[in-house]
Amino acid sequence: MKKTSLLILMVFIVSALISACSSGSNNGGTKSTTAATDTAVKDSSKQAVDASGEPAELRYTIWDTNQQPAYQKIINEFQKENKNIKVTLQVVPWANYWDKLNTEIAGGTAPDVFWNYIPYVAGLANKGALLDINPYVSKDKVDLSKFNKSLLDGFVEGDKRYAIPKDWDTMGLFYNKEALKAAGIDEFPKDLEFNTQDGGSFVKFLQKATIDKNGKHADEAGFDPKNIKQYGFMFIDRGQIDSGHLAGFAASNGATVLKDSKLQLDDKLQNTFSFLYDLVYKYNVHPSYTDVHTSGSDAKFFSGQVAVWMQGSWMMKPIQDGASFKWGIAPMPKGPAGRVVRVNGLGDTIYSKSKHPEAAWKFASFIASQKGQDILGETGTVFPGNSDSISKFVDFYKGIGIDPTVFVDEFKGGTTLSPAHTNQNEWSNIFVKYSSLSLAGQMDPVTAMKKIKEEGDAIAPAK
């Protein structure tokens, strides 16, 4: 009986071994242990999952703590639909953002998805740090018609697209109603126009809004330009001029600031810059650079020293909170080429070396989808890039007593981008240096533009 049982047991073992060898042979492998087989299955599963981007842990980096709650809400909604993707939100302040990002790119440790600013796209693309999303856009049939063309173009270099614009802002004219009344202006004029010859109706309005200590207007005989009590206009922001301030006026005058990282210095561009100079030194409607730099643009507007302040849409809430007077918003003036406003926007770019590009795209495209964009709009965080969600932002702001439709109307009209240079930081420093010297009265506008072209073009990449 024992021999029979032993024989049966031996037959069973041999059969099992034959079966195991046969199974291994059919799969092209010869794994002989359960542990090895389990490891192989796990590795195979991981590779397949990585190829599709799930499961994955993503790091998402932004720079604005004020916007953190809205983006965390977006992340929470995204993770409800994508339970195998974990997104960790990281906030790095603007002051350190670009240095940290470039350091991480150099070390191969950049975040999977991160905020990008259009003027920096070319430089980062040149480093090979950004993932081309065109294949994903095509595969998912993303409707790009929902987004502003200028902003879409801002995230394109050559035949590669690096982001879908997630938000936008633009410029307008914030005005102090009480300051205008003090100048004898009851209503802000409609359809103001400027030109670089005599200033147009825009300059005539600003001269009327400018008053010296004796109550004389800038267009009146006896006006004292050395003792101005109230200036009509200010475009310098927080003590410096940005090339974006020039871009809108330039485009409205039919000029271009930069192309292929080189200054497009022709008569139209020179005349535009000279016009901004003339606002200070010919028409006497704008404080000098030194004056604004010393006291600050915010302080000058809030104290009533300036009647009209060219500012971005992001200043609506700060002005509501800081102004002790009634105020309004008007559109930018038209130029010889029509009304073209500077528009800017951010996009979520994907690191080219991300270990989870599919998951990163899934997350970035969720932010650009109407579901993600509605969250940005209904929380009043930013103007959403997706046109279907803009009304959510408008409703939020109207609910707190601010009508932002001036900016929406401008956004739907002619727009142009802030100038973008491959070596953006260096070029910006050059532009600020010479434009500030000019607007401080220490350099004529023609020499300033020649200097910007000479030094700025020298750091442009060779073609």
Side-chain angles (χ1 to χ4, degrees), residues 56 62 82 131 144 171 185 247 249 262 309 322 336-337 345 359 380 414 423 436 455:
I62 68 176
N82 301 274
L131 181 72
L144 296 181
M171 309 299 291
I185 303 171
F249 282 109
K262 293 189 176 182
W309 188 17
N423 294 307
S436 298
E455 297 184 19

Side-chain angles (χ1 to χ4, degrees), residues 293-304:
H293 186 68
T294 301
S295 53
S297 55
D298 302 60
K300 294 194 82 65
F301 184 68
F302 289 131
S303 66

Side-chain angles (χ1 to χ4, degrees), residues 27 76 136 141 150 173 233 267 310 324 381-382 394 396:
N27 288 293
N76 294 343
Y136 299 98
K141 295 180 172 57
S150 292
L173 303 177
F233 186 52
D267 288 345
M310 187 181 93
S324 60
T381 302
V382 284
V394 172
F396 175 89

Side-chain angles (χ1 to χ4, degrees), residues 99-140:
D99 287 340
K100 180 175 175 59
L101 178 63
N102 281 297
T103 298
E104 290 182 331
I105 287 171
T109 60
D112 300 276
V113 184
F114 54 91
W115 277 7
N116 209 338
Y117 177 46
I118 288 174
Y120 289 91
V121 171
L124 293 176
N126 198 44
K127 292 180 179 180
L130 307 180
L131 181 72
D132 177 16
I133 64 170
N134 265 330
Y136 299 98
V137 170
S138 297
K139 177 174 65 73
D140 290 352

